[in-house]
Amino acid sequence: MSMKSIIAVILVTLGIVVLAYSGITFSTPGKPVDFLGLHIETTHSHFIPPVAGALALVGGIVLLVVKPRQI
């Protein structure tokens, strides 16, 4: 299996997962804040919209279907 095929399969899989869940939300740790003796942990929420999943799906399918040009 070529590298192009592996990337295409990964893109198709990620695109299907994002579309199946109507977008994916995940959190990453933010900067801790110390205020008046209190230690507060913060988080940042990130959202991957379904449009990104659709683009990944289409891109993966295009990579699988299109043949390289012979010169």
Side-chain angles (χ1 to χ4, degrees):
M1 194 178 253
S2 69
M3 185 60 99
K4 182 179 122 177
S5 297
I6 292 171
I7 292 172
V9 169
I10 290 171
L11 282 174
V12 169
T13 304
L14 290 175
I16 290 171
V17 168
V18 170
L19 286 174
Y21 287 107
S22 299
I24 295 178
T25 302
F26 63 96
S27 297
T28 57
K31 247 172 120 173
V33 176
D34 289 319
F35 181 70
L36 297 176
L38 295 173
H39 182 74
I40 302 169
E41 295 289 331
T42 60
T43 60
H44 292 267
S45 294
H46 305 279
F47 179 69
I48 300 174
V51 172
L55 289 174
L57 181 63
V58 170
I61 291 171
V62 167
L63 279 177
L64 284 175
V65 171
V66 173
K67 303 281 185 210
R69 284 193 239 174
Q70 299 279 334
I71 296 176

